[in-house]
Amino acid sequence: MKMKTVSSAVLRRFAALGVILLCASTLSAQKRPYPTAAQLAPTPPMGWNSWNHFAGKVDEADVRAAAKAMVTSGMAAAGYKYIVIDDTWEGQRDAQGFIHPNSKFPDMPGLIAYVHSLGLKFGIYSSPGPRTCAGYPGSYGHEQQDAETYAKWGVDYLKYDLCSYGEIIHKAAGDDLAKNLAMQKAAYEKMHKALESTGRPIVFSMCQYGTDSVWKWGAGVGGNLWRTTGDINDTYRRMAAIGFNQAGLAKFAGPGHWNDPDMLEVGNGGMTDEEYRTHMSLWAILAAPLIAGNDLSAMTPVTLSILTNREVVAVDQDRLGKEGDRVWQQGPLQIWAKPLAGGAEAVGLFNTSYNPHIVTFKLSMIGFPAGAHLRDLWKHEDVQATNGEYTVELPRHGVVMLKVTR
Ligand code: GAL
């Protein structure tokens, strides 16, 4: 009798386990687990954003033209895939509180479907504050609704810009820095959780201008990339001030979580081609997101060749996901290096002065043997070190970018 009782209890347990397993497998068939950060952004995101060129004037036609040009120009084939509308798309909220685009974007789902039909991905912009930086409605108090709207529209990327939430923090926290930081973290985490709850994979780009050592906590609140600086503009002076100031941040970047020294200005007209090569080289060595900010539908061949230099893009997108750092500096000359998969190293020789300068790169600076192999990534040709040294003239504000292999 006793035996019988035991065996029926065991049977009941097996039956219960079966039901649990069945439920779990049905659930997992319905809802896939949210991708990890490293799956969402295994390498620094590449794409285009409307702000640097179009700013507040951007409309649907501009975005369609950018998406089309990304494909026809060869940018997409070189790795660029996100088409991101920055600030000024936002319209009014309806009676239920859902956001609608303004008259510049009459059919957002249609526009997003068009971008997707080209094989590209789509990004949008908002703020945790009541107003965006350009004064349009932000997500304050509507975070969950906005995340659901973005997911419904088919958004794949969100740039979330602190803007007016900074004032709310300031009012609530005053000089209490710990509270200020806690409020920033909570605001970003709230939107990250809201995005996650939709089940749609959406890359989360944090923009709070690189304050409060965001690189130390950005990943912890769900950021896949975070701005490390204030805004870039289309001058060598500003680009260089930002780019050469990134030293020391390498250890905070990696697959799924990237330092973002702001978008590219390549092709916007304020720098020389050589300065744009410097911009592109430095961003690649920094494993920075490569978000073009020019008018893709009206690029010169030189602009296109800078943005799509496969050997330079490959440095940025290297699967090891290590950010580079400065290894040597003397006066206006700087040498930066980025470890690559397979033990190679990308090296940028930079001249920040108004005059040309000769620089000597020693293989020992990166711990490589004298016989290592060198390739110039802008000339697309192999070059020769002599006795472990490579001496070359750098144009004003110029660069030589090398790949060094053992
Ligand atoms: C700034 C941001 C820029 C751009 C702009 C839009 O705060 O840094 O990249 O998004 O807002 O208003």
Side-chain angles (χ1 to χ4, degrees):
M1 276 307 279
K2 204 172 178 203
M3 273 301 289
K4 197 176 170 204
T5 324
V6 169
S7 60
S8 64
V10 169
L11 273 177
R12 272 201 305 277
R13 269 192 211 155
F14 270 119
L17 187 66
V19 171
I20 290 170
L21 286 176
L22 192 71
C23 289
S25 70
T26 320
L27 260 182
S28 71
Q30 281 167 355
K31 202 172 179 187
R32 281 203 233 122
Y34 203 74
T36 62
Q39 287 167 334
L40 266 180
T43 58
M46 292 178 70
W48 171 87
N49 173 299
S50 56
W51 189 254
N52 283 356
H53 183 81
F54 294 95
K57 295 195 303 287
V58 67
D59 64 14
E60 170 164 347
D62 297 327
V63 177
R64 279 182 177 258
K68 188 170 178 207
M70 186 177 273
V71 174
T72 56
S73 66
M75 293 264 297
Y80 293 83
K81 69 175 177 198
Y82 291 97
I83 291 285
V84 184
I85 307 184
D86 207 282
D87 206 350
T88 79
W89 65 266
E90 309 87 342
Q92 298 305 313
R93 292 191 181 277
D94 60 25
Q96 284 72 44
F98 287 99
I99 188 85
H100 294 270
N102 60 40
S103 58
K104 295 192 296 160
F105 294 93
D107 179 13
M108 195 63 96
L111 171 59
I112 297 175
Y114 172 69
V115 169
H116 286 160
S117 76
L118 297 171
L120 303 173
K121 292 194 177 277
F122 182 87
I124 208 159
Y125 168 99
S126 192
S127 166
R131 295 272 145 198
T132 65
C133 294
Y136 288 71
S139 295
Y140 185 66
H142 296 276
E143 295 82 358
Q144 186 65 35
Q145 278 181 314
D146 285 359
E148 282 163 19
T149 300
Y150 304 152
K152 195 175 77 190
W153 287 349
V155 168
D156 308 293
Y157 180 112
L158 173 67
K159 173 173 169 184
Y160 207 45
D161 193 352
L162 194 66
C163 305
S164 62
Y165 198 67
E167 290 149 37
I168 291 183
I169 293 181
H170 191 69
K171 271 196 199 120
D175 293 333
D176 184 344
L177 296 181
K179 184 166 182 190
N180 180 313
L181 182 57
M183 284 184 74
Q184 284 189 62
K185 287 183 180 176
Y188 282 96
E189 191 155 33
K190 188 174 200 173
M191 184 48 102
H192 166 65
K193 290 256 160 67
L195 294 173
E196 222 177 39
S197 78
T198 69
R200 185 174 176 85
I202 298 179
V203 170
F204 192 36
S205 157
M206 294 170 55
C207 177
Q208 50 75 277
Y209 332 116
T211 61
D212 302 290
S213 304
V214 61
W215 39 86
K216 292 189 180 160
W217 52 271
V221 297
N224 298 118
L225 56 155
W226 46 79
R227 282 268 296 276
T228 56
T229 76
D231 288 17
I232 196 168
N233 62 42
D234 189 19
T235 62
Y236 176 81
R237 195 187 165 90
R238 181 68 184 145
M239 180 280 293
I242 289 177
F244 293 116
N245 210 14
Q246 301 297 300
L249 297 185
K251 64 172 177 283
F252 302 105
H257 51 100
W258 306 101
N259 288 314
D260 173 12
D262 207 357
M263 304 172 289
L264 298 170
E265 291 282 8
V266 175
N268 277 334
M271 296 184 230
T272 65
D273 292 337
E274 188 58 33
E275 290 169 339
Y276 284 138
R277 272 190 282 277
T278 292
H279 185 8
M280 187 73 189
S281 306
L282 188 50
W283 263 235
I285 286 180
L286 293 171
L290 296 179
I291 309 291
N294 57 317
D295 181 356
L296 300 187
S297 63
M299 274 185 285
T300 66
V302 179
T303 294
L304 181 64
S305 74
I306 294 172
L307 287 169
T308 59
N309 181 330
R310 303 284 174 119
E311 296 189 82
V312 173
V313 169
V315 168
D316 180 81
Q317 294 292 302
D318 183 78
R319 66 186 156 80
L320 193 58
K322 285 232 186 273
E323 177 173 337
D325 215 331
R326 184 163 44 220
V327 295
W328 179 88
Q329 181 172 19
Q330 196 173 88
L333 304 176
Q334 303 195 17
I335 299 182
W336 288 63
K338 175 189 199 284
L340 302 174
E345 196 99 8
V347 175
L349 316 178
F350 297 99
N351 171 17
T352 65
S353 123
Y354 284 101
N355 302 307
H357 275 281
I358 289 172
V359 68
T360 294
F361 163 58
K362 298 181 180 157
L363 283 156
S364 60
M365 288 170 175
I366 56 166
F368 271 55
H373 174 258
L374 267 53
R375 181 168 174 81
D376 184 317
L377 303 187
W378 286 109
K379 286 191 175 150
H380 302 295
E381 65 188 30
D382 294 350
V383 293
Q384 203 63 48
T386 313
N387 300 325
E389 297 187 356
Y390 182 62
T391 298
V392 65
E393 186 177 90
L394 301 173
R396 69 190 291 268
H397 293 174
V399 62
V400 163
M401 192 157 167
L402 304 169
K403 181 173 177 182
V404 187
T405 322
R406 275 173 209 275

